[in-house]
Each structure stands twice: as structure tokens, then as C-alpha cells.
Amino acid sequence: MKYSRILLFSVGLYLLLVALSTIAALIVGFDEMTQSTSYIYTQYVLAFVASLIVYLYLGYRQTVSPYKQAFLVAAVYLFIDLSVGGLLYILLEITMKPLIYLIPALLHVIAVLLGTLLGIQLRSKKIKQNKKLLSRTKLMVLLYHSNLNQQSCSLFIWHK
């Protein structure tokens, strides 16, 4: 995997999670989002499922060292997340406690491990199915050719 692809996945994941957070905040309302525990739990679940899907796709598509690539994407994503939090603190004086990053970071690590594992398993299952299909196709071709050879032999004998 190229570093540009790692950066693309990281930025894409960050923007996806920001979009999901914004949509959830619009539904709940900006006044209620800091006080509503259901919003916070919903936000954790949405972020976990979205991250899981991204890492599942990454594990499915990446054939060489998928865990290494997934952890690089996660590291760049967390760097972007912490950098934006730092910028919000510096520019807008929005205080972010370090503890607020703990639960999402733990869920993100679980999503990396589980999503990559599921992607690898899905890929290997698909490869096995393709091999079975290929062997069946080869068998059908061999049977077809052997049937043609028998018919041509019988036509040859009958013609004499």
C-alpha cells in the first residue's frame, strides 16, 4: 500500500466520522448533544460501525501485511483527530479533556483488529470459493472435451 493511500483512507475515515457526528447532532440538536447520554452512546456505536466497515474493506483489499497497513491508517487518523482537537483548543479555546479521547481510541483499536480480521477471513473465503468454481469449470471443460473426442472417434469409425 502506498503512503498516499494510507493518507487517503485516514482522511476519508476522519471526514466520514465528522459527517456522521454532524448528522447525529442535527437530529438530536446541538443543545442536547453534550447532555444526552443516548447521543453519546449512539455516536460511539456509529463511529465503531463506520470504522469497522472501513477496516474490513481495507483488510479485504490489502493482501500484503494488512494489519500493518490498518495500524498505519489508524495512527494517521488518530494524529489528525488529535491535531484538529489541538487546533480547536488553540483557535477557538474549546477545551478538550484527554479522557474524552480514551473511549473512542479504544473502540477504534478494536475496530482495527476486528475489521481487519474479518476482511482477511472474507477474502480467504472468497478465494476458496473461486478455487472451487475454477476446479468445477476445469472439470466441466475436461468432460466436454472428452465427450467431443468420443463423438469424433465414433464419427470417424462410423464414417469408415
Side-chain angles (χ1 to χ4, degrees), residues 1 16 26 29 46 49 51 96 98 102 144 147:
M1 178 180 266
L16 174 68
L26 286 173
L46 284 174
V49 170
S51 299
M96 300 272 184
L102 182 63
Y144 178 74
N147 192 17

Side-chain angles (χ1 to χ4, degrees), residues 84-116:
V84 169
L87 283 174
L88 287 174
Y89 177 72
I90 292 169
L91 298 176
L92 301 176
E93 296 178 3
I94 298 174
T95 59
M96 300 272 184
K97 302 206 187 276
L99 189 59
I100 206 164
Y101 289 104
L102 182 63
I103 294 173
L106 289 174
L107 289 174
H108 203 83
V109 168
I110 293 169
V112 168
L113 294 172
L114 187 62
T116 307

Side-chain angles (χ1 to χ4, degrees), residues 9 16 20 42 102 105 107-108 115 125-126 133 137 155 158:
F9 267 95
L16 174 68
L20 288 174
T42 304
L102 182 63
L107 289 174
H108 203 83
K125 184 178 179 182
K126 183 150 181 140
L133 183 63
T137 306
L155 285 174
W158 182 69

Side-chain angles (χ1 to χ4, degrees), residues 124-140:
S124 67
K125 184 178 179 182
K126 183 150 181 140
I127 289 171
K128 287 178 185 176
Q129 286 177 345
N130 287 345
K131 285 182 180 179
K132 284 182 182 178
L133 183 63
L134 183 63
S135 65
R136 287 180 188 161
T137 306
K138 285 181 181 179
L139 180 63
M140 294 298 284

